Amino acid sequence: MNDILKLARIQIVLIVLFIFFKFIRPSIIEGNYSEWIKITLLSLPNFFEGIIGVLILTGLGLYLNIKVFSPDKQIGTKLVYAVALILAGIYVLTQEFKIHNLGGNNVFDKNDVIFSIVGLIIGYSIVRIIKPVVNRTI
């Protein structure tokens, strides 16, 4: 359970950063800042969404793997990590390509797609570095 709590703490930090950048966004957009700063600020939510999506789905997948499946039917943790990445990728990228609007009214922007992909990669990297597991004792 400590590993899932570690993922949750990372998510909380990312959510605080997301709120901070959302809060300063109007003044940066209206200010005299370079275009790359404005593009970055507008695409950061996609970056955070990619990371948080992978972390949430990894935690849920690990927990459900222990709670739903008997020990002989459980899937390996690396497969849980990969499935979490794939599912987060499907959600984030189909939203960016306007296949659905579950996260709000989205407009296509190639920078958002790039930030989403980078977020997914970083989220997966965090999971692979931490290597979270859930013990059966939960």
Side-chain angles (χ1 to χ4, degrees):
M1 189 65 144
N2 286 337
D3 290 343
I4 290 181
L5 292 175
K6 191 181 296 184
L7 294 179
R9 284 191 295 272
I10 293 169
Q11 291 172 52
I12 289 169
V13 169
L14 292 173
I15 290 169
V16 168
L17 287 172
F18 173 81
I19 292 169
F20 171 74
F21 285 116
K22 209 62 157 157
F23 181 72
I24 66 168
R25 179 189 270 186
S27 61
I28 301 268
I29 291 172
E30 293 172 6
N32 190 19
Y33 293 93
S34 65
E35 195 63 28
W36 72 269
I37 290 175
K38 291 179 181 181
I39 289 170
T40 300
L41 195 61
L42 289 172
S43 296
L44 268 177
N46 305 91
F47 173 74
F48 292 129
E49 186 178 65
I51 296 173
I52 291 171
V54 172
L55 299 182
I56 286 174
L57 291 175
T58 298
L60 284 172
L62 290 171
Y63 183 78
L64 291 175
N65 194 32
I66 293 295
K67 286 296 193 181
V68 173
F69 300 111
S70 62
D72 59 321
K73 302 231 191 268
Q74 292 174 1
I75 62 175
T77 55
K78 289 182 182 177
L79 184 56
V80 172
Y81 303 162
V83 169
L85 173 65
I86 291 167
L87 292 176
I90 289 170
Y91 174 81
V92 169
L93 294 175
T94 54
Q95 180 180 344
E96 289 311 315
F97 290 113
K98 306 254 329 135
I99 295 172
H100 68 81
N101 279 321
L102 296 175
N105 193 11
N106 201 29
V107 274
F108 176 77
D109 180 5
K110 66 179 180 176
N111 296 310
D112 289 352
V113 174
I114 293 167
F115 273 71
S116 294
I117 292 170
V118 171
L120 290 166
I121 292 168
I122 290 177
Y124 184 71
S125 298
I126 291 169
V127 167
R128 291 299 305 229
I129 289 168
I130 294 175
K131 296 179 175 77
V133 294
V134 175
N135 297 325
R136 194 128 200 45
T137 58
I138 294 179

